[in-house]
């Protein structure tokens, strides 16, 4: 597989992760609790859900445009790579931190609300694993696209 193809594939994976993250935020705003990883009744249905969903859609568009447009190659390397690396570091760290917290809670045998929502006794527990795995995939695909962008 050529470098260009790898970059495009990583950009598509990053875009798909962003869209998969965005769509549920729109239905959360409408009051649909499907895939919500916690107590949905206690969550405010305000414009923050729409803003987060909109930013994720913008991130998907940027990931696909930056990896599939030839004119983007004219930009300085730092203009595309540094923001992608910073965002990737944040997404990946956020996802990995969740799993580290789960291990720590398992060793401490503490009964916090976070542990309850991450346990098998809560039907929403699987969604926490899904969402934070999505952050890791999104972050790693974004850093891969940035790596191949100016290679």
């Amino acid at each position: 597989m050529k470098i260009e193809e790898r970059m495009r594939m990583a950009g598509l994976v990053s875009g798909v992760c962003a869209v998969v993250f965005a769509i549920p935020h729109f239905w959360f705003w409408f009051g649909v609790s499907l895939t919500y990883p916690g107590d949905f009744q206690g969550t405010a249905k305000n414009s923050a859900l729409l803003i987060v969903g909109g930013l994720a859609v913008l991130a998907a568009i940027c990931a696909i445009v930056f990896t599939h447009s030839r004119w983007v190659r004219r930009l300085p390397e730092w203009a595309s790579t540094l923001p992608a690396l910073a965002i990737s570091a944040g997404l990946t760290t956020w996802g990995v931190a969740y799993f580290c917290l789960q291990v720590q809670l398992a060793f401490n045998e503490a009964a916090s609300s976070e542990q309850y929502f991450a346990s098998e006794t809560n039907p929403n527990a699987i969604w926490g694993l899904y969402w934070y795995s999505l952050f890791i995939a999104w972050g790693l695909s974004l850093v891969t696209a940035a790596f191949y962008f100016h290679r």
Side-chain angles (χ1 to χ4, degrees), residues 34-128:
L34 179 67
T35 75
Y36 196 78
D39 181 18
F40 190 71
Q41 270 54 37
T43 303
K45 308 325 181 264
N46 56 21
S47 60
L49 291 169
L50 293 176
I51 291 170
V52 169
L55 288 174
V57 169
L58 183 64
I61 292 168
C62 288
I64 292 169
V65 166
F66 269 75
T67 56
H68 287 76
S69 295
R70 299 203 186 281
W71 65 268
V72 178
R73 295 277 188 184
R74 296 181 191 144
L75 292 174
E77 185 173 337
W78 64 269
S80 58
T81 307
L82 284 180
L85 291 176
I87 293 167
S88 172
L91 289 169
T92 307
T93 301
W94 186 252
V96 170
Y98 172 81
F99 290 104
C100 290
L101 177 65
Q102 298 310 307
V103 169
Q104 181 182 8
L105 288 171
F107 284 132
N108 290 336
E109 296 181 27
S112 67
S113 62
E114 290 86 5
Q115 184 183 19
Y116 169 74
F117 285 118
S119 71
E120 308 81 45
T121 60
N122 183 336
N124 293 329
I126 191 70
W127 295 117

